[in-house]
Coordinates of all heavy atoms in Angstrom, one line a residue:
M2 N 51.1 -17.1 -7.0 CA 49.9 -16.7 -6.9 C 49.8 -15.6 -5.8 O 50.3 -15.8 -4.6 CB 48.9 -17.8 -6.6 CG 47.5 -17.4 -6.5 SD 46.5 -18.9 -6.4 CE 45.4 -18.3 -5.3
N3 N 49.2 -14.4 -6.1 CA 49.1 -13.4 -5.1 C 47.9 -13.6 -4.2 O 46.7 -13.7 -4.7 CB 49.0 -12.1 -5.8 CG 49.0 -10.9 -4.9 OD1 49.0 -11.1 -3.6 ND2 48.8 -9.7 -5.4
T4 N 48.1 -13.9 -2.9 CA 47.1 -14.1 -2.0 C 46.8 -13.0 -1.1 O 46.0 -13.0 -0.1 CB 47.4 -15.4 -1.1 OG1 48.6 -15.1 -0.4 CG2 47.5 -16.6 -2.0
T5 N 47.2 -11.7 -1.4 CA 47.0 -10.6 -0.5 C 45.5 -10.2 -0.7 O 45.1 -10.2 -1.8 CB 47.9 -9.4 -0.9 OG1 49.3 -9.9 -0.9 CG2 47.6 -8.3 -0.1
V6 N 44.8 -10.0 0.5 CA 43.5 -9.4 0.4 C 43.5 -8.0 0.5 O 44.1 -7.4 1.5 CB 42.7 -10.1 1.6 CG1 41.3 -9.6 1.6 CG2 42.8 -11.6 1.5
H7 N 42.9 -7.3 -0.4 CA 42.9 -5.8 -0.4 C 41.6 -5.4 0.1 O 40.5 -6.1 0.0 CB 43.1 -5.3 -1.9 CG 44.5 -5.6 -2.4 ND1 45.6 -4.8 -2.1 CD2 45.0 -6.7 -3.1 CE1 46.6 -5.2 -2.7 NE2 46.4 -6.4 -3.2
P8 N 41.6 -4.2 0.7 CA 40.4 -3.6 1.4 C 39.2 -3.7 0.4 O 38.0 -3.9 0.9 CB 40.8 -2.2 1.8 CG 42.3 -2.3 2.0 CD 42.7 -3.3 0.9
A9 N 39.3 -3.3 -0.7 CA 38.2 -3.1 -1.7 C 37.6 -4.5 -1.9 O 36.4 -4.5 -2.2 CB 38.7 -2.6 -3.0
T10 N 38.2 -5.5 -1.8 CA 37.7 -6.9 -2.1 C 37.3 -7.6 -0.8 O 36.5 -8.6 -0.9 CB 38.7 -7.8 -2.9 OG1 39.9 -7.9 -2.1 CG2 39.1 -7.2 -4.2
Q11 N 37.7 -7.2 0.3 CA 37.4 -7.9 1.6 C 36.1 -7.3 2.3 O 35.6 -7.9 3.2 CB 38.5 -8.0 2.5 CG 38.9 -6.7 3.0 CD 40.1 -6.7 4.1 OE1 40.6 -7.8 4.2 NE2 40.4 -5.6 4.7
T12 N 35.7 -6.2 1.9 CA 34.6 -5.5 2.6 C 33.2 -6.1 2.3 O 33.1 -6.5 1.2 CB 34.7 -4.0 2.4 OG1 33.7 -3.4 3.2 CG2 34.4 -3.7 1.0
T13 N 32.4 -6.0 3.3 CA 30.9 -6.4 3.0 C 30.2 -5.1 2.7 O 29.0 -5.1 2.5 CB 30.4 -7.3 4.1 OG1 30.4 -6.5 5.3 CG2 31.1 -8.5 4.2
D14 N 30.8 -4.0 2.8 CA 30.2 -2.8 2.6 C 29.6 -2.5 1.3 O 30.4 -2.8 0.3 CB 31.2 -1.6 2.9 CG 30.7 -0.2 2.7 OD1 29.6 0.1 2.9 OD2 31.5 0.7 2.3
D15 N 28.3 -2.2 1.2 CA 27.7 -2.1 -0.1 C 27.1 -0.6 -0.2 O 26.1 -0.4 -0.7 CB 26.7 -3.1 -0.4 CG 26.4 -3.1 -1.9 OD1 27.2 -2.8 -2.8 OD2 25.3 -3.6 -2.2
S16 N 27.9 0.4 0.2 CA 27.6 1.6 0.2 C 27.6 2.3 -1.3 O 28.1 1.6 -2.2 CB 28.5 2.6 1.0 OG 29.8 2.4 0.5
S17 N 27.0 3.4 -1.5 CA 26.9 4.0 -2.8 C 28.4 4.5 -3.1 O 29.0 5.2 -2.4 CB 25.9 5.1 -2.6 OG 25.9 5.8 -4.0
V18 N 28.8 4.2 -4.3 CA 30.0 4.7 -4.8 C 29.7 6.0 -5.6 O 30.4 7.0 -5.5 CB 30.7 3.7 -5.8 CG1 31.9 4.3 -6.5 CG2 31.1 2.5 -4.9
C19 N 28.7 6.0 -6.4 CA 28.3 7.2 -7.1 C 26.8 7.5 -6.9 O 25.9 6.7 -7.5 CB 28.5 6.9 -8.7 SG 28.1 8.3 -9.8
P20 N 26.6 8.5 -6.1 CA 25.2 8.7 -5.7 C 24.5 9.2 -7.0 O 23.2 9.1 -7.0 CB 25.3 9.7 -4.6 CG 26.6 10.3 -4.7 CD 27.5 9.2 -5.3
C21 N 25.0 10.0 -7.9 CA 24.4 10.5 -9.0 C 23.8 9.3 -10.0 O 22.8 9.4 -10.6 CB 25.2 11.4 -9.8 SG 25.8 12.8 -9.1
R22 N 24.5 8.3 -10.0 CA 24.1 7.2 -11.0 C 23.6 5.9 -10.2 O 23.4 4.9 -10.8 CB 25.4 6.7 -11.8 CG 26.0 7.7 -12.6 CD 25.0 8.2 -13.7 NE 25.8 9.3 -14.6 CZ 25.0 10.1 -15.3 NH1 23.7 10.0 -15.4 NH2 25.8 11.0 -16.0
Y23 N 23.5 6.1 -8.8 CA 22.9 5.0 -8.0 C 23.8 3.7 -8.3 O 23.3 2.6 -8.3 CB 21.4 4.8 -8.2 CG 20.7 6.0 -8.2 CD1 20.2 6.7 -9.3 CD2 20.4 6.6 -7.0 CE1 19.5 7.8 -9.2 CE2 19.6 7.7 -6.9 CZ 19.2 8.3 -8.1 OH 18.4 9.6 -7.9
I24 N 25.1 3.8 -8.2 CA 25.9 2.6 -8.3 C 26.5 2.3 -7.0 O 27.1 3.1 -6.3 CB 27.1 2.9 -9.4 CG1 26.5 3.3 -10.8 CG2 28.0 1.8 -9.4 CD1 27.4 3.7 -11.8
R25 N 26.3 1.0 -6.6 CA 26.7 0.5 -5.3 C 28.2 -0.1 -5.5 O 28.6 -0.4 -6.6 CB 25.8 -0.7 -4.8 CG 24.3 -0.2 -4.8 CD 23.8 0.8 -4.0 NE 24.1 0.4 -2.5 CZ 23.9 1.1 -1.5 NH1 23.4 2.3 -1.7 NH2 24.1 0.7 -0.2
K26 N 28.8 -0.2 -4.4 CA 30.2 -0.6 -4.3 C 30.4 -2.0 -4.9 O 31.3 -2.2 -5.7 CB 30.9 -0.5 -2.9 CG 32.3 -0.7 -2.9 CD 32.7 -0.5 -1.4 CE 34.2 -0.6 -1.4 NZ 34.8 -0.3 0.0
Q27 N 29.6 -2.9 -4.4 CA 29.9 -4.3 -4.8 C 29.5 -4.4 -6.3 O 30.3 -5.2 -7.0 CB 29.1 -5.3 -4.0 CG 29.6 -5.3 -2.5 CD 31.1 -5.7 -2.4 OE1 31.6 -6.5 -3.1 NE2 31.8 -4.9 -1.5
A28 N 28.5 -3.8 -6.8 CA 28.2 -3.8 -8.2 C 29.4 -3.3 -9.1 O 29.7 -3.8 -10.1 CB 26.9 -3.1 -8.5
F29 N 29.8 -2.3 -8.6 CA 31.0 -1.6 -9.2 C 32.2 -2.5 -9.3 O 32.9 -2.7 -10.3 CB 31.4 -0.2 -8.5 CG 32.7 0.5 -9.0 CD1 32.6 0.9 -10.4 CD2 33.8 0.5 -8.3 CE1 33.8 1.6 -10.9 CE2 34.9 1.1 -8.9 CZ 34.9 1.7 -10.1
I30 N 32.5 -3.1 -8.2 CA 33.7 -4.0 -8.1 C 33.6 -5.2 -9.1 O 34.4 -5.6 -9.7 CB 33.9 -4.5 -6.7 CG1 34.5 -3.4 -5.9 CG2 34.9 -5.6 -6.6 CD1 34.5 -3.6 -4.3
E31 N 32.2 -5.8 -9.1 CA 32.0 -6.9 -9.9 C 32.1 -6.5 -11.4 O 32.6 -7.2 -12.3 CB 30.6 -7.4 -9.7 CG 30.5 -8.1 -8.4 CD 29.1 -8.4 -8.0 OE1 28.1 -8.4 -9.0 OE2 28.8 -8.6 -6.9
T32 N 31.6 -5.3 -11.8 CA 31.8 -4.8 -13.1 C 33.2 -4.5 -13.6 O 33.7 -5.0 -14.7 CB 31.0 -3.5 -13.3 OG1 29.6 -3.8 -13.0 CG2 31.1 -2.9 -14.8
V33 N 33.9 -4.0 -12.7 CA 35.4 -3.7 -13.0 C 36.2 -5.1 -13.2 O 36.9 -5.2 -14.2 CB 36.1 -2.9 -12.0 CG1 37.6 -2.9 -12.1 CG2 35.6 -1.5 -11.9
R34 N 35.9 -6.0 -12.4 CA 36.4 -7.4 -12.5 C 36.0 -8.0 -13.8 O 36.8 -8.5 -14.6 CB 36.2 -8.2 -11.4 CG 37.0 -7.7 -10.1 CD 36.6 -8.7 -9.1 NE 37.5 -8.5 -7.9 CZ 37.2 -8.8 -6.6 NH1 36.0 -9.5 -6.4 NH2 38.0 -8.6 -5.6
R35 N 34.8 -8.2 -14.0 CA 34.1 -8.8 -15.1 C 34.5 -8.2 -16.6 O 34.9 -8.9 -17.4 CB 32.6 -8.8 -15.1 CG 32.0 -9.6 -16.1 CD 30.4 -9.7 -15.9 NE 29.7 -8.5 -15.8 CZ 29.2 -8.0 -14.8 NH1 29.4 -8.5 -13.6 NH2 28.7 -6.7 -14.7
Q36 N 34.6 -6.9 -16.6 CA 35.0 -6.3 -17.8 C 36.5 -5.9 -18.0 O 36.9 -5.3 -18.9 CB 34.1 -5.0 -18.1 CG 32.6 -5.3 -18.2 CD 31.8 -4.1 -18.6 OE1 32.3 -3.1 -19.1 NE2 30.6 -4.2 -18.1
K37 N 37.2 -6.3 -16.9 CA 38.7 -6.0 -16.7 C 39.0 -4.5 -17.1 O 39.9 -4.2 -17.9 CB 39.4 -7.0 -17.8 CG 39.2 -8.4 -17.4 CD 40.0 -9.3 -18.3 CE 39.9 -10.8 -17.9 NZ 39.0 -11.6 -18.5
L38 N 38.3 -3.6 -16.4 CA 38.5 -2.2 -16.5 C 39.7 -1.8 -15.8 O 40.0 -2.2 -14.7 CB 37.2 -1.4 -16.2 CG 36.0 -1.9 -16.8 CD1 34.8 -1.1 -16.1 CD2 36.0 -1.6 -18.2
K39 N 40.5 -1.0 -16.5 CA 41.9 -0.6 -15.9 C 42.0 0.9 -15.6 O 42.7 1.3 -14.8 CB 43.0 -1.1 -16.8 CG 43.1 -2.5 -17.0 CD 43.4 -3.1 -15.6 CE 43.6 -4.7 -15.9 NZ 43.8 -5.4 -14.5
T40 N 41.3 1.7 -16.4 CA 41.4 3.2 -16.2 C 40.0 3.8 -15.9 O 39.0 3.2 -16.2 CB 41.9 3.8 -17.6 OG1 40.9 3.7 -18.6 CG2 43.3 3.1 -18.0
I41 N 40.2 5.1 -15.5 CA 38.9 5.8 -15.1 C 38.2 6.0 -16.4 O 36.9 6.0 -16.3 CB 39.2 7.1 -14.4 CG1 38.0 7.7 -13.8 CG2 40.0 8.0 -15.2 CD1 37.4 6.9 -12.6
E42 N 38.8 6.2 -17.4 CA 38.1 6.5 -18.7 C 37.2 5.2 -19.2 O 36.2 5.3 -19.7 CB 39.1 6.8 -19.9 CG 39.7 8.2 -19.7 CD 40.9 8.2 -18.6 OE1 41.4 7.2 -18.2 OE2 41.3 9.3 -18.2
E43 N 38.0 4.0 -19.1 CA 37.1 2.7 -19.3 C 35.9 2.6 -18.5 O 34.9 2.1 -18.8 CB 38.2 1.5 -19.1 CG 39.2 1.6 -20.2 CD 40.3 0.4 -19.9 OE1 40.3 -0.2 -18.8 OE2 41.0 0.0 -21.0
V44 N 36.1 2.9 -17.1 CA 35.2 2.9 -16.1 C 33.9 3.8 -16.5 O 32.8 3.3 -16.6 CB 35.6 3.2 -14.7 CG1 34.4 3.3 -13.8 CG2 36.5 2.1 -14.2
R45 N 34.2 5.0 -16.9 CA 33.3 5.9 -17.4 C 32.4 5.4 -18.5 O 31.2 5.6 -18.6 CB 33.9 7.3 -17.7 CG 34.4 8.0 -16.4 CD 35.0 9.3 -16.8 NE 35.5 10.1 -15.7 CZ 36.7 10.7 -15.6 NH1 37.5 10.8 -16.7 NH2 37.2 11.2 -14.4
A46 N 33.2 4.9 -19.6 CA 32.6 4.5 -20.8 C 31.7 3.3 -20.4 O 30.6 3.2 -21.1 CB 33.6 4.1 -21.9
A47 N 32.0 2.5 -19.6 CA 31.2 1.2 -19.3 C 30.2 1.4 -18.4 O 29.1 0.7 -18.4 CB 32.2 0.1 -18.8
T48 N 30.3 2.3 -17.4 CA 29.2 2.4 -16.4 C 28.6 3.8 -16.2 O 27.6 4.0 -15.5 CB 29.9 2.2 -15.0 OG1 30.8 3.2 -14.7 CG2 30.5 0.8 -15.0
F49 N 29.1 4.8 -16.8 CA 28.8 6.2 -16.7 C 29.0 6.7 -15.4 O 28.5 7.8 -15.0 CB 27.2 6.4 -17.1 CG 27.1 6.1 -18.6 CD1 26.3 4.8 -18.9 CD2 27.4 6.9 -19.5 CE1 26.2 4.6 -20.3 CE2 27.2 6.6 -20.9 CZ 26.5 5.5 -21.2
I50 N 29.8 6.0 -14.5 CA 30.0 6.4 -13.3 C 31.2 7.7 -13.4 O 31.9 7.6 -14.3 CB 30.7 5.4 -12.4 CG1 30.7 5.7 -10.9 CG2 32.1 5.1 -12.8 CD1 31.0 4.4 -10.0
N51 N 31.1 8.6 -12.5 CA 31.8 9.8 -12.5 C 31.8 10.7 -13.8 O 32.7 11.1 -14.2 CB 33.4 9.3 -12.3 CG 34.3 10.5 -11.9 OD1 35.2 10.8 -12.8 ND2 33.9 11.3 -11.0
T52 N 30.6 10.7 -14.3 CA 30.3 11.6 -15.5 C 29.4 12.6 -15.3 O 28.9 13.4 -16.1 CB 29.8 10.6 -16.6 OG1 28.6 10.1 -16.3 CG2 30.8 9.7 -17.2
S53 N 28.9 12.8 -13.9 CA 28.0 13.8 -13.7 C 28.6 14.9 -12.9 O 29.3 15.8 -13.4 CB 26.8 13.2 -13.0 OG 25.8 14.2 -12.8
C54 N 28.5 14.8 -11.5 CA 29.0 15.9 -10.6 C 30.5 15.7 -10.3 O 31.2 16.8 -10.0 CB 28.2 16.0 -9.4 SG 28.6 14.8 -8.1
G55 N 31.1 14.5 -10.3 CA 32.5 14.3 -9.9 C 32.8 14.0 -8.6 O 33.9 13.8 -8.2
C56 N 31.8 14.1 -7.7 CA 32.1 14.0 -6.3 C 32.7 12.6 -5.9 O 33.3 12.4 -4.9 CB 30.9 14.2 -5.4 SG 29.6 13.0 -5.4
C57 N 32.4 11.6 -6.8 CA 32.9 10.2 -6.5 C 34.2 9.8 -7.1 O 34.7 8.8 -6.9 CB 31.8 9.1 -7.0 SG 31.6 9.4 -8.8
Y58 N 34.8 10.8 -7.7 CA 36.2 10.5 -8.4 C 37.2 9.9 -7.6 O 37.8 8.8 -7.9 CB 36.8 11.9 -9.1 CG 38.0 11.6 -9.6 CD1 38.2 11.1 -10.9 CD2 39.3 11.8 -8.9 CE1 39.4 10.7 -11.5 CE2 40.5 11.6 -9.5 CZ 40.6 11.0 -10.8 OH 41.8 10.8 -11.3
E59 N 37.5 10.5 -6.3 CA 38.5 9.9 -5.4 C 38.2 8.5 -5.0 O 39.0 7.6 -5.0 CB 38.8 10.9 -4.3 CG 39.4 12.1 -4.6 CD 39.7 13.0 -3.5 OE1 39.6 12.5 -2.3 OE2 40.0 14.2 -3.7
T60 N 36.9 8.1 -4.7 CA 36.5 6.9 -4.2 C 36.6 5.9 -5.4 O 37.2 4.8 -5.2 CB 35.0 6.9 -3.7 OG1 34.9 7.9 -2.7 CG2 34.6 5.6 -3.3
V61 N 36.1 6.2 -6.6 CA 36.2 5.4 -7.7 C 37.6 5.1 -8.1 O 38.1 4.0 -8.3 CB 35.5 6.1 -9.0 CG1 35.7 5.3 -10.2 CG2 33.9 6.1 -8.6
Q62 N 38.5 6.1 -8.1 CA 39.9 5.8 -8.5 C 40.6 5.1 -7.4 O 41.4 4.2 -7.8 CB 40.6 7.2 -8.6 CG 42.0 7.2 -9.2 CD 41.9 6.6 -10.6 OE1 41.4 7.2 -11.5 NE2 42.6 5.4 -10.8
A63 N 40.3 5.2 -6.1 CA 40.9 4.4 -5.1 C 40.5 2.9 -5.2 O 41.4 2.1 -5.1 CB 40.5 5.0 -3.7
I64 N 39.3 2.7 -5.5 CA 38.7 1.2 -5.7 C 39.4 0.6 -6.8 O 40.0 -0.5 -6.8 CB 37.3 1.2 -5.6 CG1 36.6 1.5 -4.3 CG2 36.8 -0.2 -6.1 CD1 35.1 1.8 -4.4
L65 N 39.5 1.4 -7.9 CA 40.1 0.9 -9.2 C 41.5 0.6 -9.0 O 42.0 -0.5 -9.4 CB 39.9 2.1 -10.2 CG 40.2 1.7 -11.7 CD1 39.5 0.4 -12.2 CD2 40.0 2.8 -12.6
N66 N 42.2 1.5 -8.3 CA 43.7 1.2 -8.1 C 43.9 0.1 -7.2 O 44.8 -0.7 -7.5 CB 44.2 2.5 -7.3 CG 44.5 3.7 -8.2 OD1 44.3 3.6 -9.4 ND2 44.6 4.9 -7.5
E67 N 43.1 -0.2 -6.2 CA 43.1 -1.4 -5.4 C 42.9 -2.7 -6.2 O 43.6 -3.6 -6.2 CB 42.3 -1.3 -4.1 CG 42.6 -0.3 -3.1 CD 41.6 -0.4 -2.0 OE1 40.9 -1.4 -1.8 OE2 41.5 0.7 -1.3
L68 N 42.0 -2.6 -7.0 CA 41.6 -3.8 -7.8 C 42.6 -4.0 -8.9 O 43.1 -5.1 -9.1 CB 40.2 -3.7 -8.5 CG 39.0 -3.6 -7.6 CD1 37.7 -3.3 -8.3 CD2 38.8 -4.9 -7.0
N69 N 43.2 -3.0 -9.5 CA 44.3 -3.2 -10.5 C 45.6 -3.7 -9.8 O 46.2 -4.6 -10.4 CB 44.6 -1.7 -11.2 CG 43.5 -1.5 -12.2 OD1 42.8 -2.4 -12.7 ND2 43.3 -0.2 -12.5
N70 N 45.9 -3.2 -8.6 CA 47.0 -3.7 -7.8 C 46.9 -5.1 -7.5 O 47.8 -5.9 -7.5 CB 47.4 -2.8 -6.6 CG 47.9 -1.5 -7.0 OD1 48.5 -1.3 -8.0 ND2 47.8 -0.5 -6.1
A71 N 45.7 -5.5 -7.1 CA 45.4 -6.9 -6.7 C 45.6 -7.8 -7.8 O 45.8 -9.0 -7.6 CB 44.0 -7.0 -6.0
S72 N 45.3 -7.4 -9.1 CA 45.3 -8.3 -10.3 C 46.8 -8.3 -10.9 O 46.9 -9.2 -11.7 CB 44.4 -7.8 -11.3 OG 44.7 -6.6 -11.9
E73 N 47.7 -7.6 -10.4 CA 49.0 -7.6 -10.9 C 50.0 -8.4 -10.1 O 50.0 -8.2 -8.9 CB 49.6 -6.1 -11.0 CG 48.9 -5.3 -12.0 CD 49.4 -3.8 -12.0 OE1 50.6 -3.6 -11.6 OE2 48.7 -3.0 -12.5
P74 N 50.5 -9.4 -10.6 CA 51.3 -10.4 -9.9 C 52.6 -9.6 -9.3 O 53.1 -8.7 -9.9 CB 52.0 -11.4 -10.9 CG 50.9 -11.3 -12.1 CD 50.4 -9.8 -12.0
G75 N 52.9 -10.0 -8.0 CA 54.0 -9.2 -7.3 C 53.7 -8.0 -6.6 O 54.5 -7.4 -6.1
K76 N 52.4 -7.5 -6.8 CA 52.0 -6.3 -6.1 C 51.3 -6.6 -4.9 O 50.5 -7.3 -4.9 CB 51.1 -5.3 -7.1 CG 51.8 -4.8 -8.3 CD 51.9 -3.5 -8.2 CE 52.6 -2.8 -9.5 NZ 52.5 -1.4 -9.6
D77 N 51.6 -5.8 -3.9 CA 50.8 -5.9 -2.6 C 50.2 -4.6 -2.3 O 50.7 -3.6 -2.4 CB 51.9 -6.3 -1.5 CG 52.3 -7.7 -1.6 OD1 51.6 -8.6 -2.4 OD2 53.4 -8.1 -1.2

């Protein structure tokens, strides 16, 4: 069992991830986990995040990468 705590999951920060779509960080993380989203394309289809101006791409991709790494056994 992987017990590593990743920054995306340990923070209490609930800042905006996508200001165009008014999506908060914790809501985004919960959606990615609940729907088991793995790619930016899946995230866009499910949430419409990163489909407007694109300024949130790096933030969204970084959180998605952290969550995906946390869910893969043996990855730290």
Side-chain angles (χ1 to χ4, degrees):
M2 182 169 142
N3 186 356
T4 58
T5 303
V6 177
H7 292 273
T10 59
Q11 71 183 0
T12 184
T13 58
D14 175 29
D15 197 26
S16 59
S17 177
V18 172
C19 180
C21 296
R22 302 292 182 203
Y23 307 104
I24 298 175
R25 310 296 294 178
K26 185 174 184 177
Q27 293 306 316
F29 174 68
I30 290 170
E31 289 171 18
T32 300
V33 169
R34 286 179 173 162
R35 186 175 55 252
Q36 296 186 25
K37 297 180 173 107
L38 305 174
K39 298 293 182 188
T40 67
I41 192 74
E42 292 80 11
E43 291 173 343
V44 168
R45 288 177 184 144
T48 66
F49 298 103
I50 200 170
N51 191 241
T52 59
S53 188
C54 78
C56 74
C57 62
Y58 175 80
E59 290 182 14
T60 301
V61 169
Q62 189 63 61
I64 295 170
L65 187 61
N66 289 345
E67 287 180 25
L68 293 171
N69 286 336
N70 287 339
S72 67
E73 294 178 19
K76 291 248 182 168
D77 291 332

